[in-house]
Structure formats: C-alpha cells, structure tokens
Amino acid sequence: MEKYLIKKNTSLIEALKKITANGEKHVIVISNLGKAIGIISDGDIRRAILKKLKLTLPISKILNKNFLYFKENSFNKRKAIQYLQKSKIFFAPILNSKKIPINFITVNDSAARDLKHFHKNKKTKSEQVVIMAGGLGTRLKPFTNILPKPLIPLGDKTVIEHIIQKFSKFNFNKILITLNYKSKIIRSFFKEVRLKETISFFDEKIPLGTVGCLSKLKNKLRGNFFLTNADSIIDIDMNDFLEFHRKNNNDVTVVAALKKYHVSYGSCLIDRKGNLKSIDEKPRYDLLINTGLYIINSRVLKFIKKNKKTDIDEFLNILLKNKKKVKVFPISDLNWKDTGDWNEFSKLKEI
C-alpha cells in the first residue's frame, strides 16, 4: 500500500511522480497518524499546474476532503464496483474502523469484467495517429547515417514500434506515417514486421518542417487526430488526453512534461545599466517542456500554407494570433522518453 499513500505536506510535483509510478492515477492522502484525510488524482494536479500554482506547494492546498471510501467491515467488492461505475468514480480507498487505509478499489478491477453492464470496447477508434518520421535524426548521428531514427532499437523493439503500441493499447490503431529521410528502409521494415495496426504512409518529396506536410493531408484527416514525433515515447492514458481535448473544445492540445532544472552556479541579476542587483545561488526552475505529442482538430489545418516549410512552434504561434484555442496537458517527466537525443537515449533502459 505504501506506493498509494502520501503525506499531506508532500509537494505537488512529488505527488505527481508518485501517482505516475503507481499507475492508478490517484493517491490516498494521510495524516501524520496514518488516517485517510483525502485523495488526490493526476487531474487535480494538472488543474493546479494550469492555474499556475507553485509545484512546491503541499498537496493539502488542493486536497479533496469530500471523498468516497468503503468500510472494511461491510465491504462487498461486486457492489463497490457497481457503485463506482454508476457514480463515474474511478478510485476509492477501503478504510478500517480507525480510518486507516488497508486497500483500495478501482473501476479497472478485474472483478468488473464479470459485470454484464461493463464492457471494454476493443473496436478501433476513429481518431488517426500521425507519426512524423521524415526527420534526419541529426541528434543521433552517426547512427542515423545508416539507420533512420524511428528504427533505432530500444529493447527488443524499434522506437516507432514502442510509439505505436502506446496508442494501440487504447485502440487507436489507424496509423499514418510521414516519410522523407531513408523512407524505403522504413517501408521495408513494416512489410517485414506486419503489425496488427492499420499502417499507411505519406512521402514528403521535400522536407516541410514538423507540420508543413499536414497541408497535403487535409483530405485524409477529419476531426481530431493525434500528431507525434517519431522519437517521443509518451506513456499516458490516451483516452484521458483525448477527453481533456474534447471537454475543453480545443483546437490544439500540447502534451508538456514537468522538468526540474538545477543551475550549478550562482546567477547574477543585473539592471539595465549592468549593476548587480542580487545573486541567485544555484537556482532551480520548474518548466513545462513540449514533448512532441499533440491532438489537433483538422479545422485549423487551413492555417498551414501548402508547400511551405512550417515547424510546430510557428504553427502554434499563428493559431494564437488568430485566437484559436490551444491548451497544455501537463504530465510527469517520468511519462516521457526522449529517444531523439543520444545523451537521453543512452540513459534509457528497456521499456
């Protein structure tokens, strides 16, 4: 149970890391005496981040004290799951007579599969996944002089196979891969492996930046679609991501990872005349870093000019100038693997 429990004075960022590590999207908040006093979800922390609350704040500041729980001495697993599903509640602790957590239950519990009204839909979902795999892989040279970046091995699979699996896990099986550099090798690879997902390709005759080729895909993309780099492996619930995008009626949603940066030196703060105002000794910064994963609604593709090189930052700035709705979906940096940089790639273990 330890990985599902957290003290009330724990910081937001540490809580997010614990939630990410336990895989249940929730933690039970306990007092110094070990009693349950609330729960925190990844959604609670995400909303706090978007409100620009400091990540060093204790979780007691956003604690949900009015939470559902079940009593140990009267607990019935089947009835509990039915109640969770009916109430659209995903997680609830089980407490003993002293309100100390002894277990928890979720709607994903194995017993739920026996309920007639519970059905996990395995049908392929309509939203397409576009993987931008045409880049040169400059950060991974000299390896990419021989092998294209998406086919770099990580464990017993290639990077692009890992990316595809992160989507197919949630039944997003319609994959469109854009190609340019070493496109024949990538096509040959997919002929060989024959994945269960529906894979199609689009060849960029000339490089058009990270999103420029989307101008030529307007007739193939309808409604919301995922767009991802071919070097970003993002381990999140894609259904949650899509629901966030839909609920907010976004034109684009950007997945950003929380990163802590520590400067090892004192930072000099000066005025316009070069006079020293103060020294910030070894400052720390909490930043939201673009991971290269997006959901885009096809209605904004008209802002990409045909045959014009356009990178994602330029595209997003154009949308903002035209007052389109662009939001950020924050995640823990533990959910993001950047395989496009050799220093980062070399730190990765098998996924």
Side-chain angles (χ1 to χ4, degrees), residues 144-261:
T144 48
N145 289 336
I146 307 299
L147 199 64
K149 177 174 62 176
L151 300 188
I152 297 290
L154 182 59
D156 60 352
K157 296 182 178 68
T158 62
V159 167
I160 199 167
E161 285 178 281
H162 285 294
I163 292 171
I164 290 170
Q165 285 181 350
K166 296 303 180 186
F167 288 98
S168 64
K169 177 182 177 182
F170 298 96
N171 301 319
F172 297 105
N173 296 316
K174 296 179 181 179
I175 312 296
L176 173 58
I177 304 173
T178 66
L179 303 173
N180 180 260
Y181 181 67
K182 296 190 180 295
S183 61
K184 291 181 179 179
I185 296 177
I186 295 174
R187 282 179 176 272
S188 297
F189 171 79
F190 280 100
K191 283 182 181 179
E192 182 72 23
V193 295
R194 298 185 179 276
L195 300 179
K196 65 177 182 179
E197 295 80 12
T198 302
I199 309 291
S200 59
F201 301 96
F202 177 80
D203 285 289
E204 290 184 74
K205 293 181 181 179
I206 57 171
L208 292 172
T210 49
V211 296
C213 70
L214 295 181
S215 66
K216 297 188 175 184
L217 297 173
K218 292 176 184 177
N219 295 330
K220 294 181 182 242
L221 301 171
R222 291 285 183 269
N224 295 316
F225 64 93
F226 295 90
L227 180 72
T228 181
N229 294 343
D231 53 17
S232 288
I233 301 174
I234 314 291
D235 189 13
I236 60 173
D237 188 321
M238 296 299 175
N239 289 325
D240 284 353
F241 180 30
L242 181 59
E243 177 63 22
F244 176 88
H245 176 82
R246 285 174 173 166
K247 188 175 180 180
N248 288 282
N249 195 29
N250 296 343
D251 292 299
V252 178
T253 305
V254 182
V255 174
L258 281 166
K259 280 274 191 182
K260 272 183 169 290
Y261 286 95

Side-chain angles (χ1 to χ4, degrees), residues 114-128:
D114 297 329
L115 301 176
K116 290 182 181 179
H117 66 275
F118 182 84
H119 175 65
K120 187 175 181 180
N121 188 358
K122 293 185 178 181
K123 186 178 178 181
T124 294
K125 294 171 183 172
S126 61
E127 289 79 10
Q128 285 186 271

